[in-house]
Amino acid sequence: MTIHLKLNKIQSPFKKGGKGDILSKVLLLNCLLGIAFTSFGQNVDSTLMDLPEALIENAGDRFQLSDTIDLGFNKKSKREVVGAVSAIRPDSYLGYDNTQRVQDALLGRIVGVYGSDNIRGLGGALIVVDGIPGRSIDLLNAEEIEQITVLKDANAVAQYGTMGINGVIVVTTKRGDARYRRANVTASYGVSRPVSLPNYLGSADYMQLFNEARLNDGLNPAFSEELIDNFRSGENPYRYPNVDYYSSEYLNPSLSFVNAIAEFSGGSEKTQYYINMGYNNSSSLLRLNPEANAGDHRFNVRGNINFRVNNFITSSLDVVSMVRTRKTARGNWFREASIRRPETFAPLLPVSLIDTVGNPALAGQLAAANVYGGNLLGGAQAFQNNTPIADALAGGYQEFITRITQVNNAINFDLDQFVKGLSAKTYVSFDFYNIYSQSVNNSYSVYEPTWDEGMIVGLNRIGEQDLRDLTESVNTQNFLTRYGFYGMLNYDRQLAEKHRISASLIGYANNTYLQNQAQPQKNAHVGLQLNYSFDNKLFLDVSSAYVNSVKLPEGNRGTFSPSAGIAYVLSEENFLGEANWIDYLKIRATAGIINSDIRITSGNLNLGGSVSDYFLYREIYAQGGSTYAWADGFTNQVTRIQQGPNPNFGFEQRKDINFGFEGSVFGNLWVEMNAFRTDIDNQVTRLTTQFPSFYDDFTPYSNYNATRIQGLEMGVQLSEQVGQLGIGVGARATYAETERLLVDEVYEDSYQFRQGRPADAMWGLEDLGFYTADDFTEDGSLREGLPQSAYGSVRPGDIRYQDQNNDGTIDDRDQVEIGRWFAPWTFSTDLRLEYRGLSLFVLGVSQVGSQAQRNSSYFWVDGFDKYSEVVLDRWTEETAATATYPRLSSQQSNNNLQNSTFWMYDNSYFTIQRAQLTYQLPSTWVGKLNMANISIYVAGNNLLELAENRDIRQLRIGSEPMYRSYSAGLRASF
């Protein structure tokens, strides 16, 4: 498929975005006015509601130069965009990659984005849906989205004020079109299978190794060899249990999911509509009690309406609703399954093994007990809460319910008849989130058996009464209400032949009220954007915002966030005229400062992140636990200061510069690249180096630390047609490195200072292998010259560490930089082949250069912890030369369980994230059914991973496993 660049320009007819406070009657009045006026038959121009022709004509994955890019508050053609911006349209890929979950669709598709919402390593980006910041894309399916735009640099995000500090992802949903009546249906069914499940040792192996652990500690064995043999024989699994909570007895081999979406759009010149309805259901992996473990159900509906009030006023009304329910048995199966040892008790006791002959008391006890599939709930005195199996069968259920309603109303004023080029817009939005749980809590008993030979001759009831109390409770977890408003004045004017100016003035306000939170979350700012273009090839953009924050002291609450950018289309110049292989080339440069009071997070980067409290600038007092006495005998509690005041407390800042270019060469190759540097300055901390140590809690919060992220992002897209074979290949790469520019820190050893080191540095001890018997004297103490461990006594087979400062002690002062958490390199590549209605799409994603620690309970075991397969490679005297795991211990093993190079592994990977094979039915077949088109497909997700440590990476401990999914579906248009 060849992409043809279109250099013609389509004017952006309207602006969009934002939110704020306003009475609900204003919304109602606007809607009623709009509906009333639409009843008057005026022939009006429907340009405001039309899709640009280029969007309809372009079937490729990327935008043409004339295509409109939605930047949230305004729109521009791709050619006019100055900032670092990338955009995709789901309609351009859903035909061959039917990925409806928006987070999955974003993964690997956009240059400069790590995962689905981390732009350039800054952390979670602001999500803007239909102009409303802060909404979740979890509410959306890809089918209802018109466009997704990623705003990366300060110039692109400046008009979002404090909220834009981590970058912005703008999502625009579809709207109706007077020219088309459309109906589309998408349905799919699939299964998800666990990629990897934990492999824990059985009862006999655990008992054998626990005995070894006790011997290592100089203690007597806990289990006799005869008892271990009984467990190993498997002759009576109820008396000598060997419980595998991840076996097919308790878990299904896969779970199923269904996804169905229907959308309808159309209208007249006066009114256009778009309706989207979706249903999603996924079952549970847990086999027990399917009625309680009913899985996840979600239903959503959207209605977007555009209507014309008169010849200069248009309006729109959007209503969105979503209901989601997730029903599970009580308890947390996977958390409990990761800690319950296999030999402790049999969770189910067959009634057939209970001997009541000549024992009326036992018979009466059995008659009163609840029986589940011919079994009693087993237990032991030491384990009274028989989770997770008893909870799953008898504990009742818990249902988590989410109800979301969103309403938007926009009014557009075309004031061109009053002032040439002038327009205005108001936007009102309301969001209601109600997240609660309801549960039925049954009480139950478990029974500890008394055995005689192979029969149960006695039962010790443990726990609550063996009754179904059916105690129902409702717990509201989150009730959130958000009101938003913004108003805009826009001016757009062509001056003479080659000069054009435009300006936008934005007033924005947003209030979010959260249950049990006295202080609402408030955002307010005024934004101004000024644009100038010369001859449609030189573009200047000055974007700024005056932001306000009630989280800061009086006098520091308002500040100015400026940015500026310039872009030049070099391919328009004569000196490139002979380079006919260059179809289009634009260079850009931007710089800006974003002031923010929003918490900044970036995974493990810890970029600032303290302006989350509303009173960090004030002194805070609280009553302490101690008391003092007066002479009259009365006592009072001590009141002490918890936080000192700082009247100069201010905003954290993002200081940003960006250089880049984008272009098309040879008629079918698109290339884009950006070099960026971002400093997160004035980060909030409590200074330890500038206040005396006796200040303690009196130390105030201050703006001090600074971190830098800089790097390079690049993407290429090749499209070619070879006969009837269409070929599309894309590749994207991002490199980002971090550095702590300024850190308030005090360390005794210079090698531990964080300043000048990566913000994502991993700190730990440097291991030197295992202690050997030669390292100890006959009385068990370390030989002279070897450093002592501050983490506890050590023995042969424990991990030995480097004494970095040679002080004779291994402690936290010996921690050094041993790796980095954040992958500096991220890559993605996609391949699409199309031949006579048959297409194949494959997407690969890779991250390179990061490390991680094997520090979950699967790897870090001591005491009475459950043993996994990793301990089979433990150190013993016989395996001292080949062991890859420390000696086992029945005591606390603090020395071994420290972050160190011993537990570190390379976290780099490449994965085939998605693949889909699609067949488009011939038009002659489809026409006979009076349909526009029909396609069928089979798809896979998370199909293959190539990594040195794939087994570790794919393992999930204490939570649901990672899944590999397969699905088949159908898409049809009417």
Side-chain angles (χ1 to χ4, degrees), residues 519-520 522 548-553 557 597 613-615 617:
Q519 176 67 55
K522 299 180 179 180
N548 179 75
S549 174
V550 296
K551 298 178 182 178
L552 304 178
R557 292 186 171 178
D597 63 350
D613 193 289
Y614 280 81
F615 305 104
Y617 63 91

Side-chain angles (χ1 to χ4, degrees), residues 280-573:
N280 179 271
N281 162 250
S282 61
S283 63
S284 172
L285 196 65
L286 190 60
R287 182 185 294 274
L288 298 176
N289 196 357
E291 182 179 350
N293 291 286
D296 198 321
H297 302 260
R298 193 190 87 162
F299 176 77
N300 63 277
V301 61
R302 167 183 296 277
N304 293 348
I305 302 175
N306 290 358
F307 49 87
R308 181 172 290 279
V309 178
N310 55 33
N311 62 351
F312 70 94
I313 299 177
T314 61
S315 186
S316 66
L317 175 66
D318 305 339
V319 179
V320 182
S321 182
M322 189 269 280
V323 177
R324 178 184 178 185
T325 61
R326 181 170 61 89
K327 188 176 180 181
T328 69
R330 281 179 58 199
N332 187 322
W333 177 274
F334 291 102
R335 181 188 63 198
E336 297 295 331
S338 67
I339 60 177
R340 294 290 176 182
R341 299 200 314 269
E343 92 295 349
T344 50
F345 56 84
L348 298 174
L349 299 173
V351 172
S352 60
L353 293 181
I354 302 176
D355 185 4
T356 59
V357 177
N359 193 341
L362 181 59
Q365 192 176 20
L366 179 60
N370 285 334
V371 178
Y372 302 88
N375 300 287
L376 295 184
L377 300 178
Q381 191 65 45
F383 302 94
Q384 294 189 18
N385 296 322
N386 178 11
T387 52
I389 293 174
D391 269 347
L393 288 174
Y397 66 85
Q398 50 193 355
E399 189 171 19
F400 301 92
I401 302 166
T402 301
R403 302 179 187 272
I404 298 176
T405 302
Q406 298 175 346
V407 181
N408 314 322
N409 175 228
I411 307 178
N412 302 283
F413 302 89
D414 184 355
L415 305 177
D416 190 74
Q417 58 183 311
F418 307 107
V419 178
K420 192 69 176 177
L422 186 65
S423 63
K425 181 176 184 175
T426 63
Y427 204 100
V428 185
S429 61
F430 302 87
D431 288 13
F432 304 94
Y433 296 80
N434 187 10
I435 303 174
Y436 64 97
S437 64
Q438 59 186 23
S439 60
V440 169
N441 307 311
N442 295 337
S443 64
Y444 58 83
S445 298
V446 297
Y447 296 87
E448 186 174 25
T450 300
W451 293 89
D452 183 9
E453 297 298 332
M455 299 296 292
I456 298 173
V457 296
L459 292 172
N460 176 29
R461 186 174 67 84
I462 302 169
E464 304 178 57
Q465 283 189 328
D466 199 12
L467 299 172
R468 293 195 175 208
D469 289 340
L470 297 178
T471 303
E472 186 169 358
S473 61
V474 178
N475 177 34
T476 300
Q477 298 177 331
N478 192 353
F479 185 81
L480 182 149
T481 305
R482 192 200 60 78
Y483 306 96
F485 171 80
Y486 76 83
M488 292 183 64
L489 277 176
N490 303 304
Y491 182 76
D492 192 343
R493 187 77 181 273
Q494 186 77 32
L495 304 177
E497 181 181 353
K498 296 185 176 181
H499 303 278
R500 183 183 176 190
I501 60 172
S502 63
S504 297
L505 179 64
I506 304 166
Y508 170 87
N510 180 81
N511 274 9
T512 302
Y513 299 87
L514 190 63
Q515 181 188 25
N516 299 325
Q517 190 176 91
Q519 176 67 55
Q521 300 174 16
K522 299 180 179 180
N523 297 101
H525 69 269
V526 177
L528 177 64
Q529 185 177 59
L530 301 174
N531 301 105
Y532 167 77
S533 67
F534 172 75
D535 201 18
N536 201 28
K537 61 183 180 181
L538 174 65
F539 304 95
L540 302 177
D541 184 314
V542 177
S543 296
S544 59
Y546 186 83
V547 299
N548 179 75
S549 174
V550 296
K551 298 178 182 178
L552 304 178
E554 294 284 352
N556 285 9
R557 292 186 171 178
T559 191
F560 186 62
S561 296
S563 76
I566 182 172
Y568 197 77
V569 182
L570 282 178
S571 53
E572 296 288 313
E573 297 302 327

Side-chain angles (χ1 to χ4, degrees), residues 753-929:
F753 280 100
R754 271 56 171 172
Q755 186 166 315
R757 297 183 181 273
D760 58 320
M762 181 191 304
W763 293 82
L765 301 171
E766 181 184 351
D767 85 280
L768 300 176
F770 299 121
Y771 286 106
T772 67
D774 293 337
D775 295 323
F776 296 85
T777 61
E778 292 183 0
D779 62 0
S781 59
L782 283 168
R783 293 191 180 278
E784 186 177 354
L786 292 178
Q788 301 292 320
S789 174
Y791 304 114
S793 61
V794 293
R795 293 173 178 266
D798 287 329
I799 303 174
R800 180 181 172 186
Y801 302 109
Q802 176 67 47
D803 183 9
Q804 302 290 346
N805 56 4
N806 296 315
D807 66 350
T809 301
I810 301 297
D811 55 18
D812 289 349
R813 288 181 59 185
D814 296 301
Q815 290 186 354
V816 295
E817 181 185 345
I818 59 175
R820 56 186 304 180
W821 292 100
F822 187 72
W825 285 103
T826 180
F827 304 94
S828 67
T829 182
D830 60 86
L831 171 67
R832 183 188 177 197
L833 303 175
E834 184 174 350
Y835 181 77
R836 291 188 175 182
L838 189 66
S839 69
L840 173 66
F841 173 77
V842 181
L843 172 68
V845 177
S846 175
Q847 290 190 2
V848 177
S850 66
Q851 292 79 38
Q853 291 280 316
R854 296 174 292 160
N855 53 10
S856 70
S857 62
Y858 194 75
F859 299 96
W860 278 13
V861 296
D862 61 2
F864 292 90
D865 289 342
K866 191 173 186 177
Y867 287 171
S868 69
E869 62 181 349
V870 298
V871 305
L872 296 177
D873 296 322
R874 70 204 179 281
W875 184 96
T876 65
E877 292 182 359
E878 294 76 18
T879 64
T882 59
T884 58
Y885 193 87
R887 73 176 180 97
L888 297 179
S889 174
S890 63
Q891 309 297 310
Q892 275 194 324
S893 185
N894 291 333
N895 178 81
N896 293 338
L897 308 186
Q898 299 289 325
N899 282 344
S900 69
T901 54
F902 180 87
W903 300 108
M904 188 172 67
Y905 65 93
D906 186 350
N907 202 29
S908 303
Y909 68 90
F910 171 79
T911 181
I912 302 296
Q913 188 64 33
R914 291 193 298 278
Q916 180 171 316
L917 183 64
T918 308
Y919 180 64
Q920 183 82 31
L921 271 65
S923 57
T924 54
W925 298 5
V926 175
K928 294 178 181 180
L929 300 174

Side-chain angles (χ1 to χ4, degrees), residues 228-239:
I228 295 174
D229 289 341
N230 288 333
F231 275 89
R232 196 180 301 279
S233 69
E235 291 183 4
N236 188 341
Y238 303 102
R239 185 174 186 178

